[in-house]
Amino acid sequence: MISNGQMVGMILAIVVPIMIGIVVFLHIKKELKVKGLFFTACYGAVGYLWEAWIYAMAYNWLSAWMIQEDWFLTGIGDVVRQMLVALLYAIFAAGGLYWAVFLANMRESDTRRGTTVGLGFGICYTIWNYVLVYGAPIIYGFQMKFGGFNESEEIKQKVLGLPVENMYLFALDTVLFTLILIGTTLVMGYYHQHGRKGRMFIIVFVSQFFIKFFNTLFPSLMPDMASTILYHFLMSMLAIYSMWILLTYLKTGKVFMKKNVEIPLGTKPDKKDDSTANFTYAGNKKKLR
């Protein structure tokens, strides 16, 4: 019989990230008071779906090629393999987010629209991966609990063997990933408004590359417990920083890199855009000039 802890874990693994996503969305909507944020979140979700589909095909091709090469079984080869996978993932993740931010700003370039693109991308990422990992087990779990389970003994043992701690780690991973994306796409929207298309792509490419690379590298360098703690510590720091960027923006209407220092735009002349010139922020009720 499946344990109550496993059932609760599988339920919380999807409920917690979605509830946190809803709370963040409602707070952003309340502070910005701008129409269309739900649809920009949908752009983010669609951006994830197409990039995940294409990435899956590209990953299968890359894996099939690397399996045939014995060099990738060596120590250095394994690191290179992880880098190639992270590089491939970062390219498609950056492409999906770039496309979503571009569509969100197609009619009117506005930094505010970037706030929910990452949220939609992250929530879709959560649901997609939950279905892949726990979609069937949670159905089987309910059948075991309340009757109607008619599957094989092998499937039963697989469901009963699911670690509860992995379910809570799944919730933590997806929450941190989504929070990081919110800050990332906010900066992307800021760069888009000022005509920095190249920087839009670079910022998400670099962040997603290192997130993916460290996630696969750490377990090969240290014990599972140590790698899990280190990885989640780094992810937590990134998520806190992303939330600081978001909350500071909601309060001041400016995208800061650190306290009182706005994110640099470089020497290229800004593209003229007055879409937020008269926007009133709920945080300080002050019009931007």
Side-chain angles (χ1 to χ4, degrees):
M1 179 65 71
I2 191 168
S3 69
N4 291 331
Q6 287 177 306
M7 289 300 299
V8 171
M10 284 191 286
I11 293 173
L12 292 180
I14 187 64
V15 171
V16 170
I18 290 180
M19 290 302 298
I20 291 178
I22 292 174
V23 170
V24 173
F25 175 81
L26 293 176
H27 180 69
I28 292 173
K29 186 176 181 181
K30 176 184 176 182
E31 293 295 318
L32 293 184
K33 301 185 184 302
V34 60
K35 296 180 179 179
L37 290 180
F38 174 77
F39 293 102
T40 61
C42 290
Y43 285 137
V46 174
Y48 174 77
L49 289 176
W50 78 254
E51 73 86 12
W53 177 63
I54 299 175
Y55 167 72
M57 294 189 296
Y59 174 79
N60 290 335
W61 174 84
L62 181 64
S63 297
W65 171 68
M66 290 190 294
I67 289 175
Q68 299 174 2
E69 302 294 332
D70 294 337
W71 182 77
F72 287 107
L73 299 177
T74 65
I76 297 177
D78 184 56
V79 173
V80 173
R81 178 189 63 81
Q82 295 172 17
M83 291 184 66
L84 289 176
V85 171
L87 181 66
L88 186 69
Y89 172 81
I91 289 173
F92 287 109
L97 285 168
Y98 186 99
W99 176 83
V101 172
F102 175 80
L103 286 185
N105 291 275
M106 189 164 54
R107 291 188 177 181
E108 180 184 22
S109 185
D110 191 334
T111 302
R112 292 170 290 173
R113 299 185 185 280
T115 56
T116 54
V117 171
L119 179 60
F121 193 98
I123 293 297
C124 191
Y125 166 88
T126 300
I127 296 173
W128 178 274
N129 285 277
Y130 181 86
V131 170
L132 292 179
V133 178
Y134 296 115
I138 195 170
I139 294 174
Y140 294 145
F142 276 108
Q143 290 175 344
M144 291 179 192
K145 202 76 173 173
F146 303 106
F149 182 78
N150 299 313
E151 302 299 328
S152 66
E153 183 66 22
E154 180 182 1
I155 292 178
K156 179 180 179 180
Q157 293 305 317
K158 285 183 178 180
V159 175
L160 294 178
L162 290 173
V164 177
E165 58 270 21
N166 286 357
M167 302 170 189
Y168 294 104
L169 282 177
F170 177 90
L172 178 61
D173 286 338
T174 52
V175 168
L176 294 177
F177 182 74
T178 301
L179 295 180
I180 291 169
L181 285 178
I182 293 173
T184 302
T185 52
L186 171 59
V187 177
M188 290 177 70
Y190 175 73
Y191 280 140
H192 183 279
Q193 183 178 355
H194 293 86
R196 305 304 199 271
K197 304 300 192 297
R199 296 192 181 200
M200 278 177 61
F201 186 89
I202 291 173
I203 186 174
V204 64
F205 171 80
V206 172
S207 62
Q208 293 303 305
F209 171 81
F210 282 108
I211 288 174
K212 184 70 172 180
F213 181 56
F214 289 149
N215 190 30
T216 56
L217 179 66
F218 288 163
S220 63
L221 297 179
M222 58 191 75
D224 290 344
M225 180 64 71
S227 66
T228 299
I229 292 174
L230 179 58
Y231 175 74
H232 287 94
F233 172 77
L234 294 176
M235 288 286 286
S236 297
M237 293 300 100
L238 278 176
I240 291 172
Y241 181 60
S242 295
M243 286 299 94
W244 176 82
I245 292 176
L246 173 66
L247 295 176
T248 304
Y249 175 72
L250 294 179
K251 182 179 180 180
T252 66
K254 298 181 180 180
V255 182
F256 288 108
M257 180 175 63
K258 57 183 180 179
K259 187 175 181 180
N260 299 325
V261 179
E262 290 188 69
I263 291 180
L265 293 170
T267 57
K268 180 180 176 182
D270 291 353
K271 182 178 70 174
K272 187 176 181 180
D273 192 320
D274 297 323
S275 58
T276 60
N278 294 315
F279 174 69
T280 302
Y281 286 82
N284 57 8
K285 304 295 183 181
K286 184 178 180 180
K287 290 186 177 180
L288 299 182
R289 298 296 183 187

